[in-house]
Amino acid sequence: MDEALALAGEMAGYTQKAGLGLWAQLGDECRRLQILNALGRYAEVLDAVDKLRRKLAELPEQGELEEAVNPWNVREGLLDTGREAAMRGEHYEQSLELNAEIVQYNKQRGASALELARTRYNDSGALLRLERYKDARQLLLDCRAVFESERSIEMLGKVWSALAALADKTGDRADAVRFGEIALGYGYQAGRPESCAVSHNNLSIYLERSGKDSATVLAYRLAAATMALQMQSGQLPMWLRNLALTERPATPPSFDSVADIVEQIDGVRFRAMFGRLPSTAADGDAAIATVWQMALEMQQQR
């Protein structure tokens, strides 16, 4: 991620040298802010997007300089980057506000039913955090119907993940686990490592609350944490906190034993996906040893 951030800054310089317009320059800024989101620097991202919102509304879509991007794509991308930062930074009302603006831009340009459903789905997390469960359920059911009709594997994984979170919030432990397993399977089918790591972590929570044995809960948390370590994900600290609170044996389990547990769910190919990730740690066992030590240090600090 640090290398990506440096390259994003370098690209911005070349865009200016090439004489491209403001939309192209804003596209470079959007990439930079997306990397900052991935690094967990949410306040910095939100502040930048807030400063750009008025410019986005006032900037004409065609100017004198050549553009190498679609203005609507840049505008919606920047606003969505801000929405993600607001969501992860726990500014839920602001997340809803930014997404409402994106929905309006979707409608103005005649976005497809799938595009509009993808945008509307992004309200689900904020609605859950704000305990607007009825609104969240209706939104998710509406979106699921569109995603099933359009055969959108990635978004079906996300909507099932949100339905699992909703079931957990309303105390339906069995459905939370079942929906979480469905979401994890779709995540692997879509091939999105970040989504899979999120689903591993979430499923560990639902399993723990449903009374599952500690070894199984631990395996899912280690799967999430090791994937986040390899990707240098900004969500790693949160998942380490969960790991620090988990009942753990004196020594960490092997990578293969973790993989054997999580791969019991149909479609989950943890070993294969882990093998495609960057090698922040040399291998799976080294990754487990690293996050194990980080969680131990966090526990001792507490």
Side-chain angles (χ1 to χ4, degrees), residues 128 133-134 137 163-173 175-176:
L128 285 173
Y133 299 142
K134 184 178 179 180
R137 186 185 304 279
L163 285 167
L166 176 59
D168 179 64
K169 290 285 188 182
T170 55
D172 193 338
R173 305 301 185 204
D175 273 352

Side-chain angles (χ1 to χ4, degrees), residues 4-297:
L5 189 60
L7 287 170
E10 188 176 343
M11 181 175 178
Y14 281 112
T15 296
Q16 293 181 5
K17 288 180 181 180
L20 297 175
L22 284 175
W23 285 110
Q25 295 174 41
L26 286 170
D28 292 338
E29 175 66 359
C30 185
R31 288 189 186 90
R32 187 183 75 86
L33 295 177
Q34 287 168 345
I35 297 167
L36 291 181
N37 259 351
L39 287 166
R41 292 160 61 175
Y42 309 131
E44 189 175 340
V45 173
L46 200 52
D47 182 60
V49 171
D50 281 343
K51 291 176 180 177
L52 286 170
R53 285 176 74 182
R54 181 172 296 180
K55 178 184 287 189
L56 290 172
E58 297 174 352
L59 188 64
E61 295 200 356
Q62 291 185 338
E64 297 180 359
L65 298 177
E66 179 185 354
E67 296 288 1
V69 295
N70 290 320
W72 65 263
N73 193 29
V74 174
R75 181 192 292 114
E76 292 175 21
L78 274 166
L79 291 172
D80 188 62
T81 303
R83 178 206 60 77
E84 183 179 355
M87 185 65 203
R88 294 189 176 184
E90 301 183 358
H91 301 286
Y92 305 127
E93 293 289 358
Q94 192 169 6
S95 175
L96 292 173
E97 177 187 339
L98 284 163
N99 206 49
E101 197 169 332
I102 302 170
V103 167
Q104 289 305 311
Y105 282 125
N106 279 186
K107 292 177 178 178
Q108 286 175 20
R109 65 177 174 83
S112 67
L114 177 59
E115 287 180 288
L116 190 56
R118 287 173 65 102
T119 301
R120 292 186 61 232
Y121 161 82
N122 288 331
D123 278 338
S124 61
L127 292 173
L128 285 173
R129 300 306 190 283
L130 294 169
E131 299 184 359
R132 293 171 54 181
Y133 299 142
K134 184 178 179 180
D135 292 339
R137 186 185 304 279
Q138 189 58 57
L139 170 66
L140 291 171
L141 293 177
D142 291 346
C143 290
R144 190 181 70 181
V146 176
F147 299 149
E148 288 175 343
S149 174
E150 298 291 336
R151 300 180 182 274
S152 177
I153 300 301
E154 179 185 359
M155 294 310 299
L156 280 170
K158 290 184 176 182
V159 81
W160 278 107
S161 182
L163 285 167
L166 176 59
D168 179 64
K169 290 285 188 182
T170 55
D172 193 338
R173 305 301 185 204
D175 273 352
V177 170
R178 184 164 61 90
F179 296 165
E181 290 176 345
I182 294 171
L184 185 58
Y186 272 123
Y188 274 88
Q189 190 175 342
R192 299 287 189 177
E194 186 84 10
S195 295
C196 292
V198 170
S199 290
H200 275 297
N201 180 74
N202 291 346
L203 185 52
S204 78
I205 296 171
Y206 308 146
L207 289 166
E208 184 176 52
R209 291 174 179 168
S210 68
K212 194 68 174 178
D213 63 276
S214 59
T216 300
V217 172
L218 178 61
Y220 282 96
R221 289 186 177 167
L222 284 170
T226 53
M227 292 176 76
L229 174 73
Q230 298 296 75
M231 293 184 289
Q232 300 177 40
S233 169
Q235 298 195 71
L236 177 59
M238 178 179 66
W239 297 340
L240 285 174
R241 284 194 294 273
N242 289 345
L243 187 58
L245 294 170
T246 307
E247 181 182 344
R248 303 191 305 279
T251 57
S254 68
F255 178 80
D256 281 336
S257 67
V258 168
D260 286 343
I261 290 174
V262 302
E263 288 186 351
Q264 291 177 21
I265 295 176
D266 188 38
V268 173
R269 302 290 181 265
F270 175 65
R271 289 179 176 89
M273 182 166 286
F274 188 90
R276 300 206 313 269
L277 299 177
S279 298
T280 302
D283 55 31
D285 287 315
I288 286 179
T290 299
V291 299
W292 193 270
Q293 182 62 31
M294 294 169 75
L296 179 61
E297 292 171 0

